Amino acid sequence: MMRTRGKIVVTAAAVALVGAVGVGGGVAQASSPTAAAAGKGMPSACRPANHTAKITPAPATSGHHHYRVTLTAAPGYDPCELAGSPIDVRFYHHGVLRGVTAGHYGPQGTVVTFGPGHPVHFDIQVPNSAGGTPADEATFTLKAPGGVIPGESSANGRLTVDAGTVIGPVRPGA
């Protein structure tokens, strides 16, 4: 019994130490430098629980359908920085995963500020085709200049996806 308690205490101490040291390996912490300097530590707008996202149709271009995904942060969250196209994008229809894998396009190094009063958006570009797969939700992981934002964001709205679907970089504005 003592041996088990000792292992539990050592394991708990190791978990606490890892939490105190922080997470590395290219995972962005999604906090505002100004809040950290001021010691406020307000929650970041980039964390999935702190923003909403909506998919709406956008003007078509020659050979493609477009959908705009707009992210909006509620008041009370710190602004943060995003860069590049979201990754790990998955599409669902009535909760069923669709088998469409999305690539990305456009400049991936442009940094934008996201937070209350500063919505951002990205484009879903889908080739015109005879078929296509209906979807009503997209899940994705946002990227910061230093890595990925932990967690999965989601957006709702009607769209059609197909092979060759690509995701554009996050841009300022709604």
Side-chain angles (χ1 to χ4, degrees):
M1 187 70 148
M2 287 299 268
R3 184 174 213 147
T4 303
R5 279 191 197 159
K7 286 182 181 178
I8 291 171
V9 170
V10 170
T11 302
V15 169
L17 180 59
V18 169
V21 170
V23 180
V27 176
Q29 293 301 309
S31 65
S32 164
T34 54
K40 294 179 183 180
M42 305 246 316
S44 169
C46 285
R47 294 207 182 268
N50 302 339
H51 61 259
T52 59
K54 183 177 182 180
I55 302 168
T56 56
T61 58
S62 180
H64 297 94
H65 296 288
H66 293 268
Y67 301 92
R68 178 175 279 207
V69 179
T70 303
L71 283 70
T72 307
Y77 295 104
D78 268 346
C80 54
E81 293 181 333
L82 297 171
S85 300
I87 61 171
D88 300 327
V89 180
R90 293 180 183 90
F91 301 100
Y92 296 85
H93 187 64
H94 299 301
V96 177
L97 179 65
R98 298 309 202 177
V100 175
T101 303
H104 67 273
Y105 75 89
Q108 298 297 305
T110 303
V111 176
V112 299
T113 299
F114 171 55
H118 299 282
V120 296
H121 71 275
F122 62 88
D123 178 55
I124 300 174
Q125 178 180 290
V126 183
N128 286 341
S129 66
T133 303
D136 55 18
E137 179 184 10
T139 62
F140 49 91
T141 301
L142 295 170
K143 294 186 333 187
V148 298
I149 305 296
E152 184 175 75
S153 297
S154 67
N156 293 307
R158 295 176 63 186
L159 71 157
T160 300
V161 293
D162 207 349
T165 296
V166 289
I167 309 299
V170 175
R171 299 174 186 252

